[in-house]
Amino acid sequence: GLSNQLDARKATWHSGGSLLHCLDEATKGCADARSGALQVLLFESLTAAKGVRVRGRVEQGVLQPGQRWTLAPGNASLGIEVLQTATRQPMPLQEAKGGQNVEIQLSGNLPDWPSTAGATGHAWRGSVLHEADSLQVSDYVKAKMEVIEMPRPLTAGFKAVLHVHAATVEAEVEKILDAFDWSTGVT
């Protein structure tokens, strides 16, 4: 059960305590969410009276009001004016750590980015707040893909849309390094 051990006759496969006990034990084995360089993946931007408000998820590190971080792409240095929960009734936070969804009031020299697919104005989807020099940005990605079904052959020059976390980016296959046919086992 939720807070009591299940009767062994109902779940012969489980003998590890209640669901709540199992969840408590599972989190003890996780890496500390505070460790690592700060990375906040931004989902959306909102209109604000001063600066810009963004919503995102702290992927790792600790975020606190008053800190300054770098926004990528663009390398703009931005201050954290207000930090709160990203809920229907936002509550102020003194800190946010890995795994928390947050709403942030930013200040500083905001880049004047154009609107792009799925986002508006400043800090569009997929942008990242991070510690200076802790994030590498690239125009190229080497990826391993498993193609389940294709209406035509996948070749160099194939145009696709790449979805990574909150970012959606148009992509083009430049080169195929290796291929494996699951039906025949041939490389």
Side-chain angles (χ1 to χ4, degrees):
L2 182 61
S3 57
N4 298 322
Q5 171 70 34
L6 279 175
D7 182 345
R9 293 174 296 188
K10 292 182 181 178
T12 57
W13 49 267
H14 177 72
S15 62
S18 70
L19 175 61
L20 293 177
H21 173 76
C22 291
L23 291 173
D24 284 341
E25 292 301 311
T27 58
K28 290 179 184 174
C30 296
D32 185 1
R34 296 170 181 259
S35 65
L38 177 80
Q39 289 188 9
V40 181
L41 176 64
L42 303 181
F43 301 139
E44 64 180 324
S45 63
L46 310 161
T47 305
K50 176 185 168 194
V52 68
R53 270 187 325 154
V54 294
R55 287 190 182 134
R57 177 183 169 92
V58 179
E59 297 295 335
Q60 65 181 29
V62 177
L63 184 65
Q64 297 175 324
Q67 294 176 322
R68 293 199 69 78
W69 299 107
T70 303
L71 184 64
N75 290 327
S77 177
L78 303 175
I80 309 301
E81 298 298 319
V82 177
L83 177 63
Q84 56 192 20
T85 59
T87 57
R88 283 187 197 182
Q89 296 177 338
M91 300 194 47
L93 293 171
Q94 294 304 309
E95 73 173 20
K97 56 188 174 192
Q100 286 185 274
N101 289 331
V102 293
E103 189 170 295
I104 310 163
Q105 176 81 33
L106 297 171
S107 65
N109 188 17
L110 297 165
D112 188 20
W113 289 330
S115 293
T116 60
T120 59
H122 302 293
W124 65 69
R125 273 189 154 164
S127 296
V128 177
L129 270 177
H130 64 97
E131 291 182 30
D133 301 324
S134 69
L135 187 69
Q136 294 181 351
V137 179
S138 175
D139 292 331
Y140 296 92
V141 176
K142 181 178 180 181
K144 180 178 182 178
M145 301 184 335
E146 184 173 323
V147 179
I148 297 170
E149 186 177 315
M150 286 288 293
R152 63 185 181 89
L154 179 67
T155 61
F158 181 85
K159 299 206 187 298
V161 177
L162 185 63
H163 301 274
V164 181
H165 291 284
T168 302
V169 181
E170 291 182 8
E172 182 176 339
V173 174
E174 187 174 280
K175 185 189 323 181
I176 297 176
L177 303 173
D178 191 17
F180 180 82
D181 186 336
W182 288 98
S183 61
T184 63
V186 175
T187 298

